[in-house]
Amino acid sequence: MYQYNNVAVYQSLGSAKFNCYTDKLLNCYIVYFFLKNKLMYTELTEDTLQNIVNDNEKVVVQYGATWCGNCRIMKPKFKKLAAENDAIPFLYVDAEKLPESRKLAKVDNLPTFAIFKNGELVNQVQSNQAESLINLFNELA
């Protein structure tokens, strides 16, 4: 666990969870700090995806929801791909809880995987197949 100005950051197996006791701006800073330092996989807790996409050359996103069975099936595969490509931020966005982040890729089905390059949506795929995710990721090369 890391502590920063009343913010507890828990990191385990490549993911981080944020507990903020102050304001949302500080929480956003912590997410930004860890992504800039190449944290390979992060589950967003705030609608900050636009800022992260703008601040990173490449970003890969899985949109899911807690009730989505296929999202739960794909999450470990997404994390594995993140672990193999630690120079690119991989983000999990709960599409039900973070509507502004969901709008960036015009998500209408789950799970949806999206790739962003230089602040713009490049492509997305709605699939429960690891091969589709890998093919999408290869478009960033």
Side-chain angles (χ1 to χ4, degrees):
M1 180 184 86
Y2 303 94
Q3 189 75 27
Y4 177 80
N5 199 12
N6 293 328
V7 177
V9 180
Y10 301 91
Q11 184 177 6
S12 67
L13 301 175
S15 64
K17 297 199 181 275
F18 305 94
N19 290 333
C20 185
Y21 305 108
T22 56
D23 59 18
K24 290 182 181 182
L25 181 62
L26 182 57
N27 194 4
C28 295
Y29 172 77
I30 296 296
V31 172
Y32 174 81
F33 172 80
F34 277 91
L35 288 175
K36 280 304 207 185
N37 287 287
K38 307 297 188 228
L39 182 65
M40 61 186 133
Y41 174 84
T42 302
E43 293 187 20
L44 291 188
T45 58
E46 301 286 336
D47 247 340
T48 56
L49 182 60
Q50 181 68 65
N51 296 338
I52 295 166
V53 166
N54 289 341
D55 290 341
N56 290 276
E57 181 185 357
K58 299 174 183 179
V59 178
V60 183
V61 180
Q62 177 183 352
Y63 292 91
T66 55
W67 54 262
C68 174
N70 285 332
C71 300
R72 289 193 303 269
I73 290 169
M74 289 300 293
K75 200 174 199 181
K77 297 170 186 174
F78 187 72
K79 285 182 175 182
K80 183 177 186 279
L81 188 60
E84 295 167 354
N85 298 281
D86 63 354
I88 299 172
F90 281 71
L91 307 171
Y92 179 85
V93 172
D94 188 317
E96 299 291 307
K97 295 178 182 173
L98 304 174
E100 293 304 313
S101 295
R102 180 182 183 144
K103 289 178 188 175
L104 290 179
K106 299 175 181 74
V107 174
D108 61 2
N109 199 1
L110 299 174
T112 293
F113 299 91
I115 52 173
F116 296 86
K117 189 171 184 178
N118 298 321
E120 299 292 325
L121 176 66
V122 174
N123 201 358
Q124 68 164 329
V125 64
Q126 300 166 347
S127 178
N128 63 354
Q129 301 295 318
E131 185 177 325
S132 297
L133 172 59
I134 292 167
N135 291 339
L136 179 71
F137 176 76
N138 287 336
E139 290 183 38
L140 278 177

